[in-house]
Amino acid sequence: MSEPNNHIFISAQQYLNIARIAEEQGQLRSVSIAVISNYAFSVELMLKALGATVLPSLNVQGGTLSQAEIQTNIRSHNLLSVFQSLPPSVKSRLKEKFRRAEGVEIEPLLSTCHDYFVLSRYFHEPESKIPYRLSDVRTLAEGVEGALSEWNV
């Protein structure tokens, strides 16, 4: 089984780190929607890192990553849909690693947080006025990051 795409994973960790920093600053009330959006987007990117490929014809030995084309056929912001688009062996491995890391199942959290990124980006719209569960999206992001960090362990 191949490793998660490191380029996408690093990008995801940057969004995750912004959410962590904002929470640590103690000003959560003034940035809570941005924190939720960053946690959710980091999960989306990490899941997509599991389904990405690098086109070998563009990956020149000794070349930079910018010379390679990273591709994924997953075209959704819905976290549950992105997860369900992954190959069965990848989903199984992620579920196992997530359960070990967080002590809970990943799929209920994906279901709860499935549209957080889309809705939180347009918080002024009526359908975005939902009760966001910060602890769920944080647990999801932390657990997926932990699973990907130890993917081949």
Side-chain angles (χ1 to χ4, degrees):
M1 185 179 308
S2 64
E3 291 187 30
N5 181 282
N6 199 47
H7 186 69
I8 297 173
F9 183 49
I10 289 169
S11 295
Q13 286 180 308
Q14 291 178 20
Y15 286 96
L16 179 56
N17 288 335
I18 289 296
R20 288 172 174 152
I21 291 166
E23 272 201 276
E24 290 168 7
Q25 294 298 314
Q27 300 293 326
L28 187 58
R29 190 169 214 182
S30 65
V31 295
S32 61
I33 294 303
V35 167
I36 288 165
S37 186
N38 275 279
Y39 275 135
F41 190 51
S42 73
V43 172
E44 178 185 331
L45 289 175
M46 287 185 277
L47 293 175
K48 287 180 177 179
L50 290 168
T53 58
V54 177
L55 292 182
S57 61
L58 297 175
N59 192 5
V60 180
Q61 188 169 1
T64 63
L65 187 56
S66 62
Q67 294 172 314
E69 183 176 342
I70 300 169
Q71 285 190 328
T72 179
N73 292 325
I74 304 170
R75 301 281 183 243
S76 177
H77 293 299
N78 182 309
L79 299 180
L80 190 56
S81 295
V82 173
F83 174 77
Q84 290 169 342
S85 298
L86 296 171
S89 61
V90 172
K91 284 190 290 193
S92 177
R93 189 169 187 175
L94 179 57
K95 287 196 288 191
E96 175 190 326
K97 287 186 172 291
F98 187 91
R99 187 181 319 108
R100 237 184 294 146
E102 297 298 325
V104 296
E105 300 296 326
I106 190 173
E107 288 173 288
L109 292 173
L110 288 167
S111 182
T112 298
C113 305
H114 75 277
D115 57 356
Y116 278 17
F117 176 63
V118 171
L119 293 179
S120 65
R121 290 183 310 167
Y122 302 106
F123 192 66
H124 60 281
E125 295 181 356
E127 60 270 12
S128 295
K129 305 291 187 208
I130 64 166
Y132 295 93
R133 297 179 59 135
L134 177 58
S135 63
D136 285 352
V137 73
R138 181 191 314 111
T139 298
L140 186 57
E142 299 284 351
V144 174
E145 182 195 34
L148 269 65
S149 293
E150 298 195 8
W151 193 253
N152 289 319
V153 175

